[in-house]
Amino acid sequence: MMKKILVLGGAHIDRRGRISGETAPGASNPGTWFEEPGGGGFNAARNLARLGFHVTMISPRGGDAIGEMVGEAADFAGIHDRPFVFLDRKTPSYTAIIEKDGNLVIALADMDLYRFFVPRRLSIRWVREAFAAHDFILVDANLPEETIAAIVAKAHSLAKPVAAIAISPAKVIRLKPCIETIDYLFLNEAEAAALVGQQPQDAAGWPPLLKAIGIRSAVVTRGRHELVAFSEGRAVTLQPPVADTVADVTGAGDSLAAGTLAALMAGLPLEQAIRHGAAAAALTVQSRHAVNENLTPDMLNEALALVPTAGILH
């Protein structure tokens, strides 16, 4: 029976401006504008739903047209959408400027609404029932620190494994109070450095630094460089496949988290699970969307052929 996943986190609008030529800082740059629903938790939720999982999403949302757009995207992806709607407020947004090669120049997150997702909302009856009915909990760091801690505590009180997506260097700090009780953490090098206060010279340096602050299992992405993952005394590295074309890197980390979690929940070992994650990320960056709308389990399996075997650190 397919596992049920409860996702609590960001579900908002992503606005991305793409520069057409060489980037000229401090000047007007010709380009194009694009917007679509996004958010770390929401991107991962849509990937997981497209991979065949039963997914429920809980997130604050404004009573505006953007909030309706997010709801429509959830329905389209096959997600059971259960938002907290604040009719007098606007749905959060993420606005990014991207270079012609798909890399991020700068971004602005207008996400004040997420602070209204306070811990006491977890005591609402239908929220309690959602926790009880699902097999796995996924949270992202868009939510307030105390709410994340309450989500992780509630998950563990029900013996549900919980994973977290770091979102950004500024927000990953919100995970610190409960970092030792998160079962799987997904983050990039900048976010990992924000947690430990330093950056090693290579991928092998990350596991001891992250374990030292109590992290059980983690996947650290490093852009085009090899990623590193560790769990239960085992650490592995993987060189991400090089995509033929990079349309947009937005959502790559979220899809990597989804692909890895899907494989772990299917019972695959860590070194195989991160290959699934890397394949999902490669498919995402080839799409102009934060979630590849053509993603299927068969497409992911085909993409695995381009992903190398993971290397064992110890």
Side-chain angles (χ1 to χ4, degrees):
M1 183 179 295
M2 185 58 70
K3 291 184 179 293
K4 298 180 178 180
I5 304 167
L6 178 62
V7 182
L8 305 99
H12 47 255
I13 192 73
D14 273 354
R15 301 185 179 99
R16 300 197 291 281
R18 183 156 188 153
I19 298 170
S20 300
E22 295 301 321
T23 304
S28 177
N29 288 261
T32 56
W33 194 251
F34 175 70
E35 67 178 30
E36 66 172 340
F42 192 46
N43 291 340
R46 287 185 288 168
N47 277 291
L48 287 163
R50 292 184 182 283
L51 292 174
F53 290 83
H54 174 93
V55 182
T56 297
M57 180 85 205
I58 300 178
S59 182
R61 202 164 303 160
D64 52 13
I66 291 175
E68 293 177 2
M69 184 188 300
V70 173
E72 290 171 359
D75 292 341
F76 183 74
I79 292 171
H80 185 210
D81 189 33
R82 297 299 304 269
F84 294 121
V85 179
F86 297 83
L87 295 175
D88 60 339
R89 296 186 180 274
K90 64 180 181 179
T91 300
S93 65
Y94 169 83
T95 303
I97 301 300
I98 297 168
E99 294 182 302
K100 68 175 183 178
D101 62 2
N103 288 312
L104 178 68
V105 177
I106 194 168
L108 185 149
D110 180 5
M111 302 189 178
D112 184 63
L113 185 64
Y114 290 134
R115 67 186 176 88
F116 291 99
F117 191 162
V118 294
R120 68 173 180 272
R121 290 189 176 273
L122 300 179
S123 64
I124 296 172
R125 181 175 178 178
W126 67 263
V127 177
R128 298 199 314 269
E129 291 173 346
F131 269 83
H134 289 74
D135 304 297
F136 199 99
I137 311 300
L138 174 61
V139 63
D140 76 24
N142 279 307
L143 302 183
E145 179 180 295
E146 62 274 15
T147 304
I148 295 170
I151 289 169
V152 174
K154 189 171 188 65
H156 278 277
S157 73
L158 296 170
K160 312 281 186 179
V162 58
I165 298 175
I167 300 297
S168 72
K171 293 179 180 178
V172 69
I173 303 304
R174 299 173 184 175
L175 302 175
K176 269 194 167 183
C178 59
I179 203 83
E180 296 181 5
T181 49
I182 292 172
D183 295 289
Y184 303 99
L185 176 61
F186 295 88
L187 68 172
N188 61 32
E189 269 199 318
E191 293 154 356
L195 279 178
V196 302
Q198 57 181 300
Q199 185 161 326
Q201 293 183 344
D202 55 29
W206 281 117
L209 287 175
L210 294 172
K211 288 178 183 178
I213 62 171
I215 294 176
R216 300 178 178 183
S217 305
V219 179
V220 181
T221 57
R222 306 171 63 241
R224 292 187 174 93
H225 302 292
E226 62 179 1
L227 61 81
V228 61
F230 66 89
S231 180
E232 299 178 349
R234 189 174 182 82
V236 298
T237 59
L238 179 73
Q239 179 62 52
V242 178
D244 293 334
T245 57
V246 177
D248 194 329
V249 298
T250 304
D254 307 324
S255 60
L256 184 139
T260 302
L261 288 175
L264 287 170
M265 284 186 281
L268 294 180
L270 180 65
E271 58 267 31
Q272 290 297 322
I274 60 170
R275 292 186 69 244
H276 284 70
L283 291 171
T284 297
V285 301
Q286 294 176 57
S287 167
R288 68 190 294 248
H289 299 283
V291 174
N292 191 316
E293 294 188 334
N294 297 315
L295 179 66
T296 63
D298 287 343
M299 175 184 275
L300 184 62
N301 286 331
E302 290 176 6
L304 280 171
L306 301 176
V307 183
T309 302
I312 308 299
L313 282 177
H314 57 76

PDB file of all heavy atoms in Angstrom, residues 133-158:
ATOM      1  N   ALA A 133      -3.426   9.991  10.490  1.00  0.00           N
ATOM      2  CA  ALA A 133      -3.766   9.215   9.297  1.00  0.00           C
ATOM      3  C   ALA A 133      -2.616   9.053   8.315  1.00  0.00           C
ATOM      4  O   ALA A 133      -2.720   8.272   7.368  1.00  0.00           O
ATOM      5  CB  ALA A 133      -4.956   9.868   8.583  1.00  0.00           C
ATOM      6  N   HIS A 134      -1.522   9.798   8.511  1.00  0.00           N
ATOM      7  CA  HIS A 134      -0.418   9.750   7.550  1.00  0.00           C
ATOM      8  C   HIS A 134       0.782   8.998   8.121  1.00  0.00           C
ATOM      9  O   HIS A 134       0.973   8.909   9.341  1.00  0.00           O
ATOM     10  CB  HIS A 134      -0.031  11.174   7.136  1.00  0.00           C
ATOM     11  CG  HIS A 134      -1.064  11.822   6.258  1.00  0.00           C
ATOM     12  ND1 HIS A 134      -2.258  12.280   6.756  1.00  0.00           N
ATOM     13  CD2 HIS A 134      -1.084  12.065   4.909  1.00  0.00           C
ATOM     14  CE1 HIS A 134      -2.975  12.785   5.754  1.00  0.00           C
ATOM     15  NE2 HIS A 134      -2.295  12.657   4.632  1.00  0.00           N
ATOM     16  N   ASP A 135       1.595   8.475   7.202  1.00  0.00           N
ATOM     17  CA  ASP A 135       2.737   7.647   7.598  1.00  0.00           C
ATOM     18  C   ASP A 135       4.025   8.433   7.780  1.00  0.00           C
ATOM     19  O   ASP A 135       4.938   7.978   8.467  1.00  0.00           O
ATOM     20  CB  ASP A 135       2.994   6.576   6.527  1.00  0.00           C
ATOM     21  CG  ASP A 135       1.775   5.728   6.258  1.00  0.00           C
ATOM     22  OD1 ASP A 135       1.326   5.035   7.190  1.00  0.00           O
ATOM     23  OD2 ASP A 135       1.252   5.766   5.118  1.00  0.00           O
ATOM     24  N   PHE A 136       4.107   9.583   7.150  1.00  0.00           N
ATOM     25  CA  PHE A 136       5.355  10.346   7.112  1.00  0.00           C
ATOM     26  C   PHE A 136       5.029  11.830   7.149  1.00  0.00           C
ATOM     27  O   PHE A 136       4.055  12.274   6.526  1.00  0.00           O
ATOM     28  CB  PHE A 136       6.127  10.009   5.822  1.00  0.00           C
ATOM     29  CG  PHE A 136       7.583  10.368   5.863  1.00  0.00           C
ATOM     30  CD1 PHE A 136       8.536   9.409   6.139  1.00  0.00           C
ATOM     31  CD2 PHE A 136       8.009  11.665   5.641  1.00  0.00           C
ATOM     32  CE1 PHE A 136       9.893   9.727   6.191  1.00  0.00           C
ATOM     33  CE2 PHE A 136       9.344  11.996   5.674  1.00  0.00           C
ATOM     34  CZ  PHE A 136      10.297  11.030   5.955  1.00  0.00           C
ATOM     35  N   ILE A 137       5.841  12.602   7.868  1.00  0.00           N
ATOM     36  CA  ILE A 137       5.632  14.045   7.996  1.00  0.00           C
ATOM     37  C   ILE A 137       6.810  14.781   7.357  1.00  0.00           C
ATOM     38  O   ILE A 137       7.972  14.467   7.629  1.00  0.00           O
ATOM     39  CB  ILE A 137       5.522  14.470   9.476  1.00  0.00           C
ATOM     40  CG1 ILE A 137       4.522  13.577  10.233  1.00  0.00           C
ATOM     41  CG2 ILE A 137       5.133  15.947   9.572  1.00  0.00           C
ATOM     42  CD1 ILE A 137       3.115  13.590   9.695  1.00  0.00           C
ATOM     43  N   LEU A 138       6.501  15.773   6.517  1.00  0.00           N
ATOM     44  CA  LEU A 138       7.524  16.623   5.895  1.00  0.00           C
ATOM     45  C   LEU A 138       7.207  18.075   6.233  1.00  0.00           C
ATOM     46  O   LEU A 138       6.084  18.541   6.040  1.00  0.00           O
ATOM     47  CB  LEU A 138       7.534  16.430   4.383  1.00  0.00           C
ATOM     48  CG  LEU A 138       8.460  17.352   3.567  1.00  0.00           C
ATOM     49  CD1 LEU A 138       9.923  17.148   3.966  1.00  0.00           C
ATOM     50  CD2 LEU A 138       8.279  17.101   2.070  1.00  0.00           C
ATOM     51  N   VAL A 139       8.208  18.793   6.745  1.00  0.00           N
ATOM     52  CA  VAL A 139       8.031  20.189   7.126  1.00  0.00           C
ATOM     53  C   VAL A 139       9.123  21.019   6.469  1.00  0.00           C
ATOM     54  O   VAL A 139      10.219  20.514   6.193  1.00  0.00           O
ATOM     55  CB  VAL A 139       8.074  20.349   8.667  1.00  0.00           C
ATOM     56  CG1 VAL A 139       9.433  19.953   9.226  1.00  0.00           C
ATOM     57  CG2 VAL A 139       7.704  21.768   9.098  1.00  0.00           C
ATOM     58  N   ASP A 140       8.824  22.293   6.173  1.00  0.00           N
ATOM     59  CA  ASP A 140       9.903  23.157   5.673  1.00  0.00           C
ATOM     60  C   ASP A 140      10.090  24.343   6.606  1.00  0.00           C
ATOM     61  O   ASP A 140       9.245  24.649   7.456  1.00  0.00           O
ATOM     62  CB  ASP A 140       9.675  23.581   4.211  1.00  0.00           C
ATOM     63  CG  ASP A 140       8.636  24.667   4.008  1.00  0.00           C
ATOM     64  OD1 ASP A 140       8.368  25.454   4.938  1.00  0.00           O
ATOM     65  OD2 ASP A 140       8.090  24.757   2.893  1.00  0.00           O
ATOM     66  N   ALA A 141      11.229  25.011   6.462  1.00  0.00           N
ATOM     67  CA  ALA A 141      11.621  26.080   7.391  1.00  0.00           C
ATOM     68  C   ALA A 141      10.989  27.424   7.067  1.00  0.00           C
ATOM     69  O   ALA A 141      11.416  28.442   7.610  1.00  0.00           O
ATOM     70  CB  ALA A 141      13.142  26.201   7.430  1.00  0.00           C
ATOM     71  N   ASN A 142       9.952  27.446   6.220  1.00  0.00           N
ATOM     72  CA  ASN A 142       9.179  28.675   6.054  1.00  0.00           C
ATOM     73  C   ASN A 142       8.341  28.985   7.297  1.00  0.00           C
ATOM     74  O   ASN A 142       7.968  30.136   7.526  1.00  0.00           O
ATOM     75  CB  ASN A 142       8.235  28.560   4.843  1.00  0.00           C
ATOM     76  CG  ASN A 142       8.929  28.812   3.524  1.00  0.00           C
ATOM     77  OD1 ASN A 142       9.579  29.837   3.347  1.00  0.00           O
ATOM     78  ND2 ASN A 142       8.810  27.872   2.606  1.00  0.00           N
ATOM     79  N   LEU A 143       8.049  27.963   8.079  1.00  0.00           N
ATOM     80  CA  LEU A 143       7.187  28.132   9.247  1.00  0.00           C
ATOM     81  C   LEU A 143       7.987  28.667  10.437  1.00  0.00           C
ATOM     82  O   LEU A 143       9.213  28.576  10.481  1.00  0.00           O
ATOM     83  CB  LEU A 143       6.538  26.795   9.609  1.00  0.00           C
ATOM     84  CG  LEU A 143       5.696  26.143   8.504  1.00  0.00           C
ATOM     85  CD1 LEU A 143       5.045  24.866   9.034  1.00  0.00           C
ATOM     86  CD2 LEU A 143       4.640  27.101   7.973  1.00  0.00           C
ATOM     87  N   PRO A 144       7.285  29.224  11.443  1.00  0.00           N
ATOM     88  CA  PRO A 144       7.985  29.745  12.622  1.00  0.00           C
ATOM     89  C   PRO A 144       8.728  28.652  13.388  1.00  0.00           C
ATOM     90  O   PRO A 144       8.331  27.479  13.363  1.00  0.00           O
ATOM     91  CB  PRO A 144       6.837  30.317  13.477  1.00  0.00           C
ATOM     92  CG  PRO A 144       5.730  30.582  12.513  1.00  0.00           C
ATOM     93  CD  PRO A 144       5.838  29.509  11.475  1.00  0.00           C
ATOM     94  N   GLU A 145       9.783  29.057  14.058  1.00  0.00           N
ATOM     95  CA  GLU A 145      10.626  28.116  14.793  1.00  0.00           C
ATOM     96  C   GLU A 145       9.837  27.270  15.782  1.00  0.00           C
ATOM     97  O   GLU A 145       9.990  26.056  15.847  1.00  0.00           O
ATOM     98  CB  GLU A 145      11.713  28.907  15.527  1.00  0.00           C
ATOM     99  CG  GLU A 145      12.655  28.086  16.367  1.00  0.00           C
ATOM    100  CD  GLU A 145      13.701  28.930  17.061  1.00  0.00           C
ATOM    101  OE1 GLU A 145      14.535  29.544  16.346  1.00  0.00           O
ATOM    102  OE2 GLU A 145      13.688  28.991  18.308  1.00  0.00           O
ATOM    103  N   GLU A 146       8.958  27.920  16.568  1.00  0.00           N
ATOM    104  CA  GLU A 146       8.217  27.187  17.588  1.00  0.00           C
ATOM    105  C   GLU A 146       7.205  26.223  16.960  1.00  0.00           C
ATOM    106  O   GLU A 146       6.895  25.171  17.530  1.00  0.00           O
ATOM    107  CB  GLU A 146       7.526  28.152  18.551  1.00  0.00           C
ATOM    108  CG  GLU A 146       6.486  29.070  17.918  1.00  0.00           C
ATOM    109  CD  GLU A 146       7.070  30.356  17.336  1.00  0.00           C
ATOM    110  OE1 GLU A 146       8.305  30.432  17.158  1.00  0.00           O
ATOM    111  OE2 GLU A 146       6.281  31.286  17.081  1.00  0.00           O
ATOM    112  N   THR A 147       6.689  26.561  15.789  1.00  0.00           N
ATOM    113  CA  THR A 147       5.738  25.683  15.107  1.00  0.00           C
ATOM    114  C   THR A 147       6.436  24.460  14.548  1.00  0.00           C
ATOM    115  O   THR A 147       5.927  23.333  14.638  1.00  0.00           O
ATOM    116  CB  THR A 147       5.018  26.449  13.981  1.00  0.00           C
ATOM    117  OG1 THR A 147       4.387  27.606  14.538  1.00  0.00           O
ATOM    118  CG2 THR A 147       3.966  25.576  13.308  1.00  0.00           C
ATOM    119  N   ILE A 148       7.620  24.669  13.979  1.00  0.00           N
ATOM    120  CA  ILE A 148       8.405  23.534  13.473  1.00  0.00           C
ATOM    121  C   ILE A 148       8.710  22.566  14.610  1.00  0.00           C
ATOM    122  O   ILE A 148       8.553  21.351  14.469  1.00  0.00           O
ATOM    123  CB  ILE A 148       9.707  24.026  12.823  1.00  0.00           C
ATOM    124  CG1 ILE A 148       9.396  24.859  11.574  1.00  0.00           C
ATOM    125  CG2 ILE A 148      10.604  22.835  12.461  1.00  0.00           C
ATOM    126  CD1 ILE A 148      10.606  25.588  11.007  1.00  0.00           C
ATOM    127  N   ALA A 149       9.143  23.104  15.747  1.00  0.00           N
ATOM    128  CA  ALA A 149       9.466  22.254  16.896  1.00  0.00           C
ATOM    129  C   ALA A 149       8.236  21.476  17.359  1.00  0.00           C
ATOM    130  O   ALA A 149       8.330  20.285  17.696  1.00  0.00           O
ATOM    131  CB  ALA A 149      10.014  23.110  18.038  1.00  0.00           C
ATOM    132  N   ALA A 150       7.068  22.132  17.342  1.00  0.00           N
ATOM    133  CA  ALA A 150       5.832  21.471  17.759  1.00  0.00           C
ATOM    134  C   ALA A 150       5.431  20.380  16.763  1.00  0.00           C
ATOM    135  O   ALA A 150       4.946  19.315  17.156  1.00  0.00           O
ATOM    136  CB  ALA A 150       4.715  22.497  17.896  1.00  0.00           C
ATOM    137  N   ILE A 151       5.643  20.620  15.470  1.00  0.00           N
ATOM    138  CA  ILE A 151       5.335  19.619  14.443  1.00  0.00           C
ATOM    139  C   ILE A 151       6.212  18.388  14.621  1.00  0.00           C
ATOM    140  O   ILE A 151       5.738  17.244  14.583  1.00  0.00           O
ATOM    141  CB  ILE A 151       5.519  20.227  13.036  1.00  0.00           C
ATOM    142  CG1 ILE A 151       4.403  21.234  12.744  1.00  0.00           C
ATOM    143  CG2 ILE A 151       5.545  19.129  11.967  1.00  0.00           C
ATOM    144  CD1 ILE A 151       4.639  22.075  11.512  1.00  0.00           C
ATOM    145  N   VAL A 152       7.507  18.619  14.811  1.00  0.00           N
ATOM    146  CA  VAL A 152       8.445  17.504  14.981  1.00  0.00           C
ATOM    147  C   VAL A 152       8.099  16.717  16.246  1.00  0.00           C
ATOM    148  O   VAL A 152       8.097  15.477  16.237  1.00  0.00           O
ATOM    149  CB  VAL A 152       9.894  18.023  15.022  1.00  0.00           C
ATOM    150  CG1 VAL A 152      10.865  16.890  15.347  1.00  0.00           C
ATOM    151  CG2 VAL A 152      10.265  18.673  13.692  1.00  0.00           C
ATOM    152  N   ALA A 153       7.782  17.430  17.332  1.00  0.00           N
ATOM    153  CA  ALA A 153       7.431  16.755  18.588  1.00  0.00           C
ATOM    154  C   ALA A 153       6.159  15.930  18.426  1.00  0.00           C
ATOM    155  O   ALA A 153       6.072  14.799  18.917  1.00  0.00           O
ATOM    156  CB  ALA A 153       7.265  17.789  19.705  1.00  0.00           C
ATOM    157  N   LYS A 154       5.176  16.487  17.732  1.00  0.00           N
ATOM    158  CA  LYS A 154       3.915  15.764  17.530  1.00  0.00           C
ATOM    159  C   LYS A 154       4.131  14.528  16.676  1.00  0.00           C
ATOM    160  O   LYS A 154       3.576  13.458  16.953  1.00  0.00           O
ATOM    161  CB  LYS A 154       2.885  16.683  16.870  1.00  0.00           C
ATOM    162  CG  LYS A 154       1.475  16.104  16.797  1.00  0.00           C
ATOM    163  CD  LYS A 154       0.484  17.136  16.328  1.00  0.00           C
ATOM    164  CE  LYS A 154      -0.942  16.616  16.433  1.00  0.00           C
ATOM    165  NZ  LYS A 154      -1.349  16.379  17.831  1.00  0.00           N
ATOM    166  N   ALA A 155       4.951  14.670  15.633  1.00  0.00           N
ATOM    167  CA  ALA A 155       5.247  13.525  14.774  1.00  0.00           C
ATOM    168  C   ALA A 155       5.879  12.396  15.575  1.00  0.00           C
ATOM    169  O   ALA A 155       5.491  11.222  15.452  1.00  0.00           O
ATOM    170  CB  ALA A 155       6.164  13.954  13.629  1.00  0.00           C
ATOM    171  N   HIS A 156       6.846  12.732  16.415  1.00  0.00           N
ATOM    172  CA  HIS A 156       7.534  11.705  17.183  1.00  0.00           C
ATOM    173  C   HIS A 156       6.657  11.116  18.283  1.00  0.00           C
ATOM    174  O   HIS A 156       6.806   9.939  18.624  1.00  0.00           O
ATOM    175  CB  HIS A 156       8.839  12.254  17.745  1.00  0.00           C
ATOM    176  CG  HIS A 156       9.950  12.224  16.743  1.00  0.00           C
ATOM    177  ND1 HIS A 156      10.705  11.102  16.503  1.00  0.00           N
ATOM    178  CD2 HIS A 156      10.405  13.164  15.876  1.00  0.00           C
ATOM    179  CE1 HIS A 156      11.578  11.351  15.546  1.00  0.00           C
ATOM    180  NE2 HIS A 156      11.419  12.591  15.142  1.00  0.00           N
ATOM    181  N   SER A 157       5.724  11.897  18.806  1.00  0.00           N
ATOM    182  CA  SER A 157       4.798  11.350  19.806  1.00  0.00           C
ATOM    183  C   SER A 157       3.901  10.285  19.188  1.00  0.00           C
ATOM    184  O   SER A 157       3.383   9.408  19.891  1.00  0.00           O
ATOM    185  CB  SER A 157       3.951  12.472  20.409  1.00  0.00           C
ATOM    186  OG  SER A 157       2.975  12.946  19.486  1.00  0.00           O
ATOM    187  N   LEU A 158       3.718  10.366  17.873  1.00  0.00           N
ATOM    188  CA  LEU A 158       2.892   9.396  17.148  1.00  0.00           C
ATOM    189  C   LEU A 158       3.751   8.354  16.421  1.00  0.00           C
ATOM    190  O   LEU A 158       3.230   7.558  15.635  1.00  0.00           O
ATOM    191  CB  LEU A 158       2.013  10.128  16.130  1.00  0.00           C
ATOM    192  CG  LEU A 158       0.979  11.095  16.706  1.00  0.00           C
ATOM    193  CD1 LEU A 158       0.359  11.934  15.594  1.00  0.00           C
ATOM    194  CD2 LEU A 158      -0.103  10.324  17.464  1.00  0.00           C
TER     195      LEU A 158
END
